Amino acid sequence: MKTISQAKSHGGVQGVYSHASDVCACDMTFSVFVPPQAAQGPLSVVWYLSGLTCTHANVMDKGEYRRMAAELGLIIVCPDTSPRGADLPDEKDNWQFGSGAGFYVDATQEPYAKNYRMYSYVTEELPALIAREFPADMTRQAIFGHSMGGHGALTIALKNPERFKSCSAFAPIVQPSTAGWSKPAFEKYLGGDEASWRTYDTTSLIEDGRRFPEFLVDQGTADGFLKDGLRPWLLEEACAKAGIPLTLRMQDGYDHSYFFISTFMDDHLRWHAQRLSA
């Protein structure tokens, strides 16, 4: 692991790091905020997964999480959203696919299968690195994210309920297998057999029997992607049928931006801290 930068913030340290990823077959960059309580021992870990076009830096620069994370004693880990590199397969004119748009799946189709393995990266390789290099209590983990990252957080939690004590999302893509801005990416990454897409689709996972104790979702009513891409009512229907408690908060007048995310960041961190300490 290489240290790219470190800065003191709210008594803790905000760092940016890189490492050679075996899973993605390229160098990967991520950020970690370690609060001051780490001097007394290992702390709970909260994973934040970012959305389309983002890197680790978007939430680090605009998410406004450090003050509350320092108050609550939470380590915040922010992975990148895809593998990166000039020699990697990509569609540079398509913001919904390739670089910045890994969708937290393990691609099975060429030429993407070698590098676009973000599910395994976020659930296996990076957690192992965090456990080795940081004062992290890996028995106490939570996960949340925004948009594509909200999709990632929900699906990862549903498939790993024993690992995460809580899961929340800002404006998640709840049914990417049918949404116009994600379905083409699923086909390119996973192939034409739509049955294989279900393991990376929140509503399908719930329909197929996956369960998680509860979810918190915030969604802005002025979000331009609400009706065509996000469709939180589909998650509401799936959770109701499965008996999964869902707190869905429709936030009047808020859009899809980090102005929205930063407004409700403290709420989500407090919510996770309560469940991590239970």
Side-chain angles (χ1 to χ4, degrees):
M1 188 183 76
K2 298 179 181 178
T3 299
I4 297 174
S5 67
Q6 288 183 328
K8 188 171 183 178
S9 179
H10 295 281
V13 176
Q14 176 65 69
V16 178
Y17 309 93
S18 69
H19 71 115
S21 168
D22 292 331
V23 167
C24 296
C26 65
D27 287 347
M28 296 292 288
T29 302
F30 62 97
S31 70
V32 180
F33 176 69
V34 178
Q37 294 91 330
Q40 279 73 54
L43 300 174
S44 298
V45 178
V46 182
W47 295 81
Y48 179 90
L49 306 185
S50 290
L52 287 163
T53 76
C54 293
T55 69
H56 69 281
N58 296 73
V59 69
M60 184 179 74
D61 294 343
K62 298 182 287 187
E64 301 180 20
Y65 57 79
R66 279 172 291 272
R67 181 187 60 80
M68 184 54 62
E71 178 180 320
L72 298 170
L74 301 174
I75 292 174
I76 310 295
V77 180
C78 307
D80 202 346
T81 54
S82 72
R84 298 183 190 270
D87 57 340
L88 268 63
D90 192 10
E91 292 185 4
K92 297 186 183 302
D93 59 346
N94 183 1
W95 64 275
Q96 296 173 333
F97 183 76
S99 183
F103 277 96
Y104 304 100
V105 305
D106 281 352
T108 58
Q109 303 301 299
E110 298 300 338
Y112 309 107
K114 178 181 178 181
N115 306 106
Y116 288 83
R117 303 183 60 213
M118 289 303 296
Y119 178 81
S120 289
Y121 178 71
V122 169
T123 62
E124 297 174 12
E125 187 175 37
L126 188 55
L129 181 63
I130 297 298
R132 290 196 306 269
E133 300 288 345
F134 296 91
D137 181 354
M138 303 304 280
T139 68
R140 293 184 291 155
Q141 296 186 67
I143 190 166
F144 69 148
H146 170 233
S147 194
M148 178 185 72
H151 136 75
L154 292 169
T155 56
I156 288 171
L158 282 165
K159 291 195 283 187
N160 300 274
E162 72 291 340
R163 181 182 303 184
F164 298 100
K165 293 185 177 295
S166 56
C167 175
S168 70
F170 300 104
I173 307 172
V174 304
Q175 196 176 88
S177 64
T178 63
W181 66 346
S182 48
K183 185 175 180 179
F186 269 43
E187 185 166 9
K188 291 174 185 177
Y189 286 138
L190 303 173
D193 180 10
E194 295 187 15
S196 68
W197 304 359
R198 296 182 68 85
T199 189
Y200 296 112
D201 184 296
T202 298
T203 59
S204 296
L205 284 167
I206 294 172
E207 290 172 0
D208 293 344
R210 298 283 187 166
R211 296 291 182 265
F212 200 76
E214 60 180 325
F215 295 121
L216 167 65
V217 172
D218 274 316
Q219 171 65 62
T221 62
D223 191 322
F225 302 112
L226 176 59
K227 294 183 179 180
D228 296 328
L230 306 174
R231 303 174 295 169
W233 51 87
L234 298 178
L235 177 62
E236 193 170 34
E237 294 169 2
C239 286
K241 290 180 181 178
I244 299 174
L246 168 67
T247 301
L248 173 60
R249 308 192 305 185
M250 300 300 296
Q251 303 292 0
D252 188 45
Y254 285 90
D255 61 14
H256 200 67
S257 72
Y258 270 90
F259 297 114
F260 157 61
I261 296 167
S262 62
T263 299
F264 301 103
M265 179 64 75
D266 284 3
D267 289 355
H268 282 244
L269 291 178
R270 290 191 189 98
W271 192 83
H272 287 295
Q274 290 174 354
R275 286 148 183 81
L276 286 164
S277 63

